Amino acid sequence: MDTYYDLTSSQGLLSLQQKYTVHRQCNNICTTVLFDKKLNFETLKEAIEIAYSRSDSMRVRITKVGKVTKQYFSDSGFQAIGLLDFSGRSQEYMDKKLRKLAITRITYNDRPLSKIYLLISYDGKTGLCLVVSHMIMDSWGVTVFYKDIFEIYEALLSHSELPKPLSSYEKLLKIDLDYASSPKHQTDYEFWKNYLNTGEPIYTNI
């Protein structure tokens, strides 16, 4: 049976943005990383599968429990790995296709919140394209996830020990949610309330 968690305060804001904006792709983060050398795609696919399997943030799903938006962790974060091959195409063609991916909504209830592709650019570079919902990652999180994939990739190529897995998102989520009912939250609230409660704003003009 799935355990349902409340959204964090930041996720709550993103959820409202997703609900009320006319631009339903508002929570998309689409990035690419490219290398001048030709990567071994079979090994890279294996590295991606390992990275997904041990990153619980990629298993997060958004859902509705009654009328309340919640989140839970699915059994598996793995999904199909696509291929974007722009060999022989122009940069304009590649940019157009990548933009289409970037503006295609990724944040849906009870669905994976990311898509990942092996990428061959128009000029022969190789790498990855990741489209992920801001509900589960920010730009720094994307950077950390890329780093994990390519450290795993290098470890597989050299037959060396895999890097240490990323920290558990679920563990940090529980800490974040517990903060709202903690004494520290009340102390922080009182501090900022007193700090900001300085009366009416002072009108200033040149």
Short mmCIF file of all heavy atoms in Angstrom, two decimals, residues 30-34 98 119 128-130 146:
data_model
loop_
_atom_site.label_atom_id
_atom_site.label_comp_id
_atom_site.label_asym_id
_atom_site.label_seq_id
_atom_site.Cartn_x
_atom_site.Cartn_y
_atom_site.Cartn_z
N CYS A 30 13.99 21.51 -18.97
CA CYS A 30 14.56 20.72 -20.07
C CYS A 30 16.01 21.13 -20.26
O CYS A 30 16.31 22.31 -20.47
CB CYS A 30 13.76 20.96 -21.36
SG CYS A 30 14.38 20.04 -22.78
N THR A 31 16.91 20.16 -20.15
CA THR A 31 18.34 20.44 -20.28
C THR A 31 19.01 19.40 -21.16
O THR A 31 18.51 18.28 -21.33
CB THR A 31 19.04 20.42 -18.91
OG1 THR A 31 18.84 19.13 -18.30
CG2 THR A 31 18.49 21.50 -17.99
N THR A 32 20.16 19.77 -21.71
CA THR A 32 20.98 18.82 -22.45
C THR A 32 22.42 18.92 -21.95
O THR A 32 22.85 19.98 -21.48
CB THR A 32 20.97 19.09 -23.97
OG1 THR A 32 21.49 20.40 -24.22
CG2 THR A 32 19.58 18.97 -24.55
N VAL A 33 23.13 17.83 -22.03
CA VAL A 33 24.56 17.83 -21.75
C VAL A 33 25.24 17.08 -22.89
O VAL A 33 24.82 15.98 -23.25
CB VAL A 33 24.87 17.18 -20.37
CG1 VAL A 33 24.34 15.76 -20.28
CG2 VAL A 33 26.36 17.22 -20.09
N LEU A 34 26.25 17.70 -23.51
CA LEU A 34 26.89 17.14 -24.70
C LEU A 34 28.40 17.07 -24.52
O LEU A 34 29.00 17.93 -23.87
CB LEU A 34 26.56 17.99 -25.93
CG LEU A 34 25.11 17.95 -26.42
CD1 LEU A 34 24.86 19.06 -27.43
CD2 LEU A 34 24.79 16.60 -27.02
N LEU A 98 14.04 20.21 -29.91
CA LEU A 98 14.28 20.26 -28.47
C LEU A 98 13.32 21.24 -27.79
O LEU A 98 12.85 20.99 -26.68
CB LEU A 98 15.73 20.66 -28.18
CG LEU A 98 16.80 19.62 -28.54
CD1 LEU A 98 18.19 20.16 -28.27
CD2 LEU A 98 16.58 18.31 -27.79
N LEU A 119 21.29 11.46 -26.87
CA LEU A 119 21.27 12.55 -27.83
C LEU A 119 22.52 12.56 -28.72
O LEU A 119 23.64 12.48 -28.22
CB LEU A 119 21.17 13.89 -27.07
CG LEU A 119 21.23 15.18 -27.88
CD1 LEU A 119 20.08 15.24 -28.89
CD2 LEU A 119 21.18 16.39 -26.95
N LEU A 128 23.10 13.60 -23.44
CA LEU A 128 21.76 13.31 -22.93
C LEU A 128 20.87 14.54 -22.98
O LEU A 128 21.35 15.67 -22.95
CB LEU A 128 21.84 12.84 -21.47
CG LEU A 128 22.54 11.53 -21.16
CD1 LEU A 128 22.59 11.32 -19.64
CD2 LEU A 128 21.84 10.37 -21.83
N CYS A 129 19.58 14.29 -23.05
CA CYS A 129 18.56 15.31 -22.87
C CYS A 129 17.62 14.82 -21.78
O CYS A 129 17.14 13.69 -21.85
CB CYS A 129 17.80 15.57 -24.16
SG CYS A 129 16.39 16.71 -23.98
N LEU A 130 17.37 15.65 -20.77
CA LEU A 130 16.48 15.29 -19.67
C LEU A 130 15.38 16.34 -19.55
O LEU A 130 15.66 17.54 -19.50
CB LEU A 130 17.26 15.21 -18.36
CG LEU A 130 16.46 14.94 -17.08
CD1 LEU A 130 15.85 13.55 -17.10
CD2 LEU A 130 17.34 15.12 -15.83
N TYR A 146 22.75 14.37 -13.33
CA TYR A 146 23.67 14.16 -14.45
C TYR A 146 25.02 13.65 -13.94
O TYR A 146 25.62 12.73 -14.51
CB TYR A 146 23.90 15.45 -15.22
CG TYR A 146 22.87 15.78 -16.27
CD1 TYR A 146 22.42 17.09 -16.44
CD2 TYR A 146 22.37 14.81 -17.14
CE1 TYR A 146 21.50 17.42 -17.42
CE2 TYR A 146 21.46 15.13 -18.13
CZ TYR A 146 21.02 16.43 -18.27
OH TYR A 146 20.12 16.76 -19.24
#
